[in-house]
């Protein structure tokens, strides 16, 4: 399973953050539309991420809910039929929420920087410091802390919950 150190923060000014990230990043960003469906899963999170009708990823991950840098373990399987897989998993387990977002993905070294516009929720920045086999979580945490400082992100802007939980907490009254 892959290990990442992750951190998430609420963003007030999307374009200002975009500019900062563009200066830090290696090369130009990718813009990716993501439609995530979460399923009821007792010991972690299971989500189906759809990029297009014939491309998706089923992702299982475990990550503590805490505001600072945290270690996430994930396992990923690709699918060419996300809609059918979503139906099957919904029937089997029940859906636990849906997150639709546009992600602007920048890379810097071993870190993925996600500038996310989340439907019904707002703008967020998420880092994923990808650890290799030998690296200790502390090394990834140091990288994440350094990026927080470089980007001028304050502690109070950090978020300890997944997007799906933030949306579910906001209430179910949103309809497209």
């Amino acid at each position: 399973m892959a290990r990442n150190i992750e951190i998430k923060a609420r963003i007030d000014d999307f374009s200002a953050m975009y500019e900062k990230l563009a200066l830090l990043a290696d090369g130009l960003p990718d813009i990716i539309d993501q439609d995530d469906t979460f399923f009821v899963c007792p010991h972690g999170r299971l989500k189906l991420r759809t990029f297009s009708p014939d491309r998706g990823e089923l992702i299982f991950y475990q990550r503590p809910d805490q505001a600072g840098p945290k270690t996430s373990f994930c396992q990923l399987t690709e699918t060419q039929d996300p809609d059918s897989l979503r139906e099957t998993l919904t029937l089997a387990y029940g859906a636990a929420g849906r997150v639709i977002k546009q992600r602007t993905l920048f890379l810097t070294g071993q870190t993925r920087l996600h500038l996310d516009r989340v439907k019904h929720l707002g703008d967020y920045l998420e880092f994923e410091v990808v650890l290799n086999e030998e690296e200790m979580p502390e090394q990834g945490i140091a990288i994440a802390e350094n990026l927080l400082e470089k980007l001028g992100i304050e502690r109070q802007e950090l978020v300890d919950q997944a997007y799906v939980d933030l949306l579910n907490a906001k209430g179910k009254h949103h309809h497209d």
Side-chain angles (χ1 to χ4, degrees), residues 99-137:
V99 178
I100 297 170
K101 63 179 171 297
Q102 187 175 69
R103 169 163 285 177
T104 304
L105 166 66
F106 291 92
L107 298 172
T108 174
Q110 70 196 81
T111 305
R112 300 162 61 91
L113 301 162
H114 304 150
L115 191 52
D116 289 339
R117 300 215 102 143
V118 186
K119 192 172 178 181
H120 303 312
L121 204 57
D123 299 334
Y124 290 82
L125 175 66
E126 186 178 80
F127 315 153
E128 288 183 357
V129 185
V130 182
L131 299 177
N132 65 35
E133 292 295 309
E134 300 80 56
E135 281 180 304
M136 299 304 291

Side-chain angles (χ1 to χ4, degrees), residues 9-18 114-116 122-126 153 157 159:
R10 176 116 178 104
I11 297 302
D12 290 325
D13 188 336
F14 186 93
S15 12
M17 185 54 70
Y18 185 102
H114 304 150
L115 191 52
D116 289 339
D123 299 334
Y124 290 82
L125 175 66
E126 186 178 80
I153 294 167
E157 295 167 80
V159 178

Side-chain angles (χ1 to χ4, degrees), residues 16 79 81 87 104 110 124 133 170 176:
T79 175
D81 190 358
E87 282 173 35
T104 304
Q110 70 196 81
Y124 290 82
E133 292 295 309
K170 248 187 113 166
D176 293 356

